[in-house]
Amino acid sequence: MLHRIDKTTVRNALQQAYECTRETNSGKNADYIPYLAKVPSELFGISACLPDGEVITVGDTDCAFGIESVSKVPTALLVMEQYGPQKVMNRIGADATGLPFNSIIAILLEKDHPSTPLVNAGAISACSMVKPVGDAEGKWKAIVDFIEGLAGSEVTLIDELYRSESATNFNNRSITWLLRNYNRIYDDPEMSLDLYTRQCSLGITARQLSILGATIAFGGRNPVTRKQIFRTELTPKIVSLMATVGFYEHTGDWLYTTGLPAKSGVGGGIVGVIPGVMGIASFAPPLDASGNSVKAQLALKFVMDRLNLNIFNPDRCITAVPESVA
Ligand code: GLN
């Protein structure tokens, strides 16, 4: 039996999640990318986007931060849209690695397969697949346009982050060339790596991320702009990838505790998708040892519990869907 919740209940839950979590000071900003180490650690916001396009926010939800690994979600969707989901599964895969996001061993263990577009290897491979193949600027435009379609507004490159990341991405370069050795890079390797690095350096806000999550939750239709951004049948595909590998080696723990398919990034952002119900996002820079935001995890878990939204619970709550969407 599903129960309906109203907007006031959602608003109150976000506010309480914010208040209960804001004093938490464990975790540490990512420091292997110099720019990220300098972002103010106290920034914190939570945002939820509902079926009618209303966005409920609390805290620092209009401050742009590095999207980082959350960018793997839109690019995976883009190549699914361009090639169909089966081809993406054949070329990249849809399996959890159970290993850190930048694991080289995962590639060797999978006997050459990048495993999933939601870890670095698969994401670089996905960037190489983006059409128009061979055209770096055309591919970049396709990636940015797609993210903007999902988020419903403009996103801009954080130049300093891009420079910082380009100067230090030796591990990702090794991944790229190892994949090239296995014929899993489908365009120029250095260009594919650069596109991946650039997409990770895009600035996005928690508000935009929640709209991006909602567009996925509502079958590719952005509830704010009302534009159809991708084919509806891709929602279960991308949500299944988020559920299996969105938190890397701790994805099982996360799903078991919250029942929220979500994707994190080392910039401190997390986007969650509750199909048919809402997109939800949180941002706070300090991370745990696996590279997932400590506060954002606590805040999202609080909201999931308080509103009884666990997608595996037969007695869960849903939001009221306006007739124009239903
Ligand atoms: N750009 C980062 C990297 O490739 C993204 C990692 C992440 O957010 N988990 O290392």
Side-chain angles (χ1 to χ4, degrees), residues 32-33 68-69 101 120 165 172 196 200 248 265-266:
Y32 75 103
I33 298 168
E68 294 297 345
S69 277
F101 60 83
N120 290 18
E165 210 155 326
N172 287 338
Y196 169 75
C200 287
Y248 314 113
V266 291

Side-chain angles (χ1 to χ4, degrees), residues 122-264:
I124 297 167
S125 190
C127 284
S128 77
M129 284 177 72
V130 170
K131 295 177 185 176
V133 170
D135 172 0
E137 283 320 303
K139 286 166 80 107
W140 176 240
K141 184 172 177 337
I143 291 171
V144 174
D145 285 353
F146 195 68
I147 295 178
E148 292 184 341
L150 294 171
S153 52
E154 223 176 89
V155 290
T156 37
L157 190 74
I158 305 176
D159 280 311
E160 196 189 337
L161 176 56
Y162 174 49
R163 280 197 303 276
S164 183
E165 210 155 326
S166 300
T168 51
N169 64 354
F170 310 112
N171 191 81
N172 287 338
R173 176 160 284 115
S174 311
I175 289 175
T176 307
W177 285 99
L178 184 59
L179 289 176
R180 171 65 190 84
N181 180 54
Y182 291 131
N183 294 319
R184 294 284 177 186
I185 294 288
Y186 305 97
D187 205 334
D188 179 78
E190 286 295 326
M191 182 236 273
S192 307
L193 171 65
D194 179 59
L195 279 171
Y196 169 75
T197 311
R198 262 201 272 179
Q199 75 171 27
C200 287
S201 309
L202 281 169
I204 198 154
T205 67
R207 175 192 296 272
Q208 288 178 308
L209 263 193
S210 69
I211 300 171
L212 180 149
T215 304
I216 298 174
F218 302 118
R221 184 175 185 269
N222 185 317
V224 176
T225 63
R226 296 168 195 265
K227 288 189 186 141
Q228 189 71 35
I229 308 300
F230 64 84
R231 277 172 290 145
T232 301
E233 64 264 30
L234 297 182
T235 282
K237 302 291 180 208
I238 193 69
V239 177
S240 71
L241 292 180
M242 294 169 79
T244 43
V245 78
F247 281 66
Y248 314 113
E249 69 273 34
H250 286 304
T251 309
D253 294 352
W254 168 257
L255 203 59
Y256 187 85
T257 358
T258 62
L260 173 65
K263 180 77 201 80
S264 68

Side-chain angles (χ1 to χ4, degrees), residues 3-326:
H3 313 274
R4 295 230 151 143
I5 34 171
D6 58 31
K7 287 182 183 171
T8 313
T9 313
V10 176
R11 203 169 288 122
N12 291 342
L14 258 64
Q15 188 65 41
Q16 285 162 2
Y18 182 78
E19 276 153 24
C20 292
T21 316
R22 69 191 300 188
E23 302 302 333
T24 307
N25 55 15
S26 54
K28 199 163 141 301
N29 283 32
D31 55 9
Y32 75 103
I33 298 168
Y35 171 91
L36 296 178
K38 298 190 316 194
V39 176
S41 302
E42 65 284 358
L43 290 170
F44 177 38
I46 316 169
S47 178
C49 178
L50 303 180
D52 63 355
E54 179 163 343
V55 182
I56 296 176
T57 61
V58 52
D60 303 307
T61 48
D62 288 318
C63 142
F65 57 89
I67 187 171
E68 294 297 345
S69 277
V70 180
S71 67
K72 289 165 177 156
V73 171
T75 304
L77 260 172
L78 176 60
V79 290
M80 284 184 202
E81 179 74 10
Q82 290 183 335
Y83 292 81
Q86 188 60 42
K87 189 140 191 184
V88 173
M89 184 156 133
N90 297 346
R91 283 190 168 188
I92 299 176
D95 248 340
T97 61
L99 288 163
F101 60 83
N102 53 4
S103 175
I104 288 182
I105 268 199
I107 305 169
L108 301 170
L109 287 174
E110 285 294 316
K111 301 198 178 36
D112 93 3
H113 224 247
S115 300
T116 159
L118 300 195
V119 297
N120 290 18
I124 297 167
S125 190
C127 284
S128 77
M129 284 177 72
V130 170
K131 295 177 185 176
V133 170
D135 172 0
E137 283 320 303
K139 286 166 80 107
W140 176 240
K141 184 172 177 337
I143 291 171
V144 174
D145 285 353
F146 195 68
I147 295 178
E148 292 184 341
L150 294 171
S153 52
E154 223 176 89
V155 290
T156 37
L157 190 74
I158 305 176
D159 280 311
E160 196 189 337
L161 176 56
Y162 174 49
R163 280 197 303 276
S164 183
E165 210 155 326
S166 300
T168 51
N169 64 354
F170 310 112
N171 191 81
N172 287 338
R173 176 160 284 115
S174 311
I175 289 175
T176 307
W177 285 99
L178 184 59
L179 289 176
R180 171 65 190 84
N181 180 54
Y182 291 131
N183 294 319
R184 294 284 177 186
I185 294 288
Y186 305 97
D187 205 334
D188 179 78
E190 286 295 326
M191 182 236 273
S192 307
L193 171 65
D194 179 59
L195 279 171
Y196 169 75
T197 311
R198 262 201 272 179
Q199 75 171 27
C200 287
S201 309
L202 281 169
I204 198 154
T205 67
R207 175 192 296 272
Q208 288 178 308
L209 263 193
S210 69
I211 300 171
L212 180 149
T215 304
I216 298 174
F218 302 118
R221 184 175 185 269
N222 185 317
V224 176
T225 63
R226 296 168 195 265
K227 288 189 186 141
Q228 189 71 35
I229 308 300
F230 64 84
R231 277 172 290 145
T232 301
E233 64 264 30
L234 297 182
T235 282
K237 302 291 180 208
I238 193 69
V239 177
S240 71
L241 292 180
M242 294 169 79
T244 43
V245 78
F247 281 66
Y248 314 113
E249 69 273 34
H250 286 304
T251 309
D253 294 352
W254 168 257
L255 203 59
Y256 187 85
T257 358
T258 62
L260 173 65
K263 180 77 201 80
S264 68
V266 291
I270 298 180
V271 63
V273 175
I274 310 167
V277 176
M278 70 172 75
I280 185 159
S282 182
F283 157 63
L287 311 176
D288 65 16
S290 311
N292 303 315
S293 167
V294 174
K295 261 192 231 179
Q297 287 182 82
L298 289 172
L300 294 180
K301 179 177 176 344
F302 184 101
V303 175
M304 290 303 286
D305 290 347
R306 179 55 57 102
L307 295 180
N308 182 21
L309 295 172
N310 186 322
I311 63 158
F312 301 113
N313 183 358
D315 267 333
R316 70 189 182 279
C317 289
I318 54 168
T319 41
V321 182
E323 266 152 45
S324 60
V325 177

